[in-house]
């Protein structure tokens, strides 16, 4: 298997993967700045400002969001996995397909981390940040609210694809499928690596006042992957988290729910205290129903002739 990235050092693998990310991200930005004025006659900043009043501009923003996920996350992860070894789907944890009981447990476990995410989110809201950062976050929240206006059922399905399904696939391939595996390989400490990856996952979203909830959600997604070895479960849990927000917002907009899901609601401490042991129990149950891949390279041993190595994990 000469020439595959798996034969390179961990540092070179990191450099290659991050190079893919920054390279494709730069390509996306350059294309956006070139194509946007040609197609709309306006800059991206003008479109973002005008989207509050022009539905056509909202559609354009949704298209740019779709291509951002594909170009910045999906393509680098898929390309790295393809170059890493001849079985990219196996490397990413996309084979075999998960069992029904695994899906049920993983989805319930994802719901289990939400109370802690909500409680830390309340604390996160008290963080002192600059006025410019507050203004940027306020603008981002307003744009998101505009993009998630759903007057028809068609809009609901479009937003489920653009906000729940596509980002879940792209981000899980990138963060859990590749980045988390590389961090584990570098540190040889699985749970520390899951935590580090969850911090990076949250940081890249660029929302300071939403940082801690995303760290908790990222940790939950990373734990599902580590315990099960199946990335499909993390993808489905991610879809569940994003998709449920979209559905609840649709129901609220059409008067079928009283509480606005985009507004934070206080979380009782005892609810969090109860959810933590329940979630741990769910993760334990998932481990009993799974045969995870090894996330750490086994210690290399050499035969007496020094030529052959044994105990190598082909999934890493």
């Amino acid at each position: 298997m000469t020439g595959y990235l798996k034969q390179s050092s961990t540092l070179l693998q990191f450099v290659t993967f991050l190079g893919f990310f920054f390279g494709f991200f730069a390509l996306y930005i350059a294309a956006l700045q070139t194509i946007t004025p040609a197609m709309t006659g306006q800059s991206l900043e003008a479109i973002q400002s005008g989207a509050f009043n022009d539905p056509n501009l909202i559609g354009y923003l949704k298209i740019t969001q779709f291509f951002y996920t594909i170009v910045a996350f999906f393509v680098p992860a898929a390309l790295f996995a393809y170059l890493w070894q001849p079985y990219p789907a196996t490397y990413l944890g996309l084979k075999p397909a998960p069992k029904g009981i695994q899906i049920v447990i993983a989805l319930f476990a994802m719901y289990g981390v939400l109370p802690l995410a909500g409680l830390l989110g309340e604390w996160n809201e008290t963080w002192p940040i600059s006025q410019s950062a507050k203004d940027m976050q306020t603008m981002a929240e307003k744009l998101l609210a505009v993009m998630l206006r759903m007057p028809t059922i068609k809009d609901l399905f479009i937003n489920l694809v653009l906000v729940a399904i596509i980002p879940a696939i792209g981000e899980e391939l990138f963060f859990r499928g590749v980045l988390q595996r590389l961090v584990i390989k570098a540190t040889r400490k699985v749970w520390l690596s899951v935590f580090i990856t969850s911090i990076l996952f949250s940081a890249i979203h660029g929302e300071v006042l939403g940082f801690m909830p995303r760290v908790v959600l990222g940790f939950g997604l990373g734990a599902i992957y580590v315990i099960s070895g199946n990335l499909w479960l993390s993808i489905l849990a991610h879809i569940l988290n994003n998709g449920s927000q979209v559905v609840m917002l649709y129901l609220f907009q059409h008067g079928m729910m009283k509480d606005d899901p985009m507004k934070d609601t206080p979380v009782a401490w005892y609810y969090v205290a109860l959810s933590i042991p329940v979630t741990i129990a769910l993760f334990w149950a998932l481990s009993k129903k799974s045969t995870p891949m090894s996330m750490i390279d086994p210690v290399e041993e050499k035969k007496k002739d020094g030529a052959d190595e044994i105990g190598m994990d082909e999934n890493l």
Side-chain angles (χ1 to χ4, degrees):
M1 300 204 290
T2 304
Y4 288 108
L5 278 172
K6 67 182 301 178
Q7 297 174 316
S8 304
S9 66
T10 303
L11 176 60
L12 181 58
Q13 291 179 34
F14 259 117
V15 170
T16 301
F17 182 57
L18 294 179
F20 287 160
F21 169 70
F22 287 111
F24 280 103
F25 179 75
L27 180 64
Y28 167 79
I29 295 297
L32 198 62
Q33 292 177 340
T34 302
I35 295 172
T36 298
M39 290 183 62
T40 66
Q42 303 180 57
S43 67
L44 183 60
E45 291 77 11
I47 290 175
Q48 290 175 335
S49 300
F52 296 104
N53 302 311
D54 189 343
N56 293 324
L57 295 181
I58 296 173
Y60 183 81
L61 287 178
K62 289 182 178 181
I63 293 173
T64 61
Q65 182 64 31
F66 168 80
F67 280 106
Y68 168 71
T69 301
I70 297 298
V71 175
F73 296 130
F74 181 87
V75 173
L79 181 59
F80 181 88
Y82 177 77
L83 295 176
W84 196 90
Q85 68 160 349
Y87 308 104
T90 301
Y91 170 77
L92 291 169
L94 296 175
K95 288 185 177 181
K99 299 175 183 177
I101 186 63
Q102 292 176 308
I103 295 174
V104 172
I105 296 173
L107 296 185
F108 273 109
M110 192 63 195
Y111 265 124
V113 305
L114 295 181
L116 179 59
L119 184 65
L120 291 179
E122 294 176 25
W123 170 60
N124 198 166
E125 290 286 343
T126 66
W127 288 12
I129 62 174
S130 66
Q131 187 59 47
S132 60
K134 288 182 180 179
D135 293 340
M136 288 179 61
Q137 181 140 339
T138 300
M139 175 62 73
E141 291 172 354
K142 289 181 178 179
L143 278 174
L144 180 61
V146 169
M147 291 174 66
L148 291 178
R149 288 176 186 166
M150 295 172 280
T152 68
I153 192 71
K154 177 182 176 182
D155 297 302
L156 170 62
F157 285 113
I158 290 174
N159 282 332
L160 281 174
V161 172
L162 295 180
V163 178
I165 298 175
I166 299 300
I169 295 173
E171 291 178 7
E172 290 311 303
L173 287 172
F174 186 94
F175 288 100
R176 258 60 66 176
V178 178
L179 183 59
Q180 182 171 285
R181 296 285 299 273
L182 289 177
V183 177
I184 290 173
K185 190 172 183 180
T187 65
R188 302 187 67 82
K189 297 183 183 299
V190 174
W191 294 108
L192 174 62
S193 300
V194 172
F195 181 63
I196 291 172
T197 307
S198 67
I199 290 175
L200 297 174
F201 168 73
S202 183
I204 207 167
H205 284 81
E207 294 184 10
V208 178
L209 296 181
F211 180 78
M212 288 306 300
R214 280 198 177 91
V215 170
V216 175
L217 295 174
F219 190 89
L221 293 166
I224 289 172
Y225 183 41
V226 164
I227 290 170
S228 69
N230 197 310
L231 193 64
W232 284 117
L233 295 176
S234 296
I235 290 172
L236 291 173
H238 200 148
I239 291 173
L240 173 71
N241 179 68
N242 291 3
S244 61
Q245 294 294 315
V246 174
V247 171
M248 287 190 293
L249 184 59
Y250 175 82
L251 296 176
F252 172 75
Q253 291 175 0
H254 290 266
M256 290 178 275
M257 277 186 61
K258 293 183 179 180
D259 298 327
D260 186 350
M262 294 194 73
K263 292 183 178 179
D264 297 327
T265 55
V267 181
W269 67 268
Y270 53 82
Y271 188 33
V272 178
L274 177 62
S275 69
I276 291 175
V278 171
T279 304
I280 292 173
L282 287 167
F283 281 131
W284 176 83
L286 181 61
S287 71
K288 295 300 179 181
K289 298 294 182 180
S290 306
T291 306
M293 297 180 295
S294 174
M295 292 285 172
I296 299 179
D297 286 326
V299 177
E300 296 180 1
E301 299 180 20
K302 293 190 176 182
K303 294 184 178 180
K304 292 182 180 179
D305 59 8
D308 298 319
E309 294 179 350
I310 63 175
M312 299 302 293
D313 184 350
E314 290 297 315
N315 288 324
L316 287 168

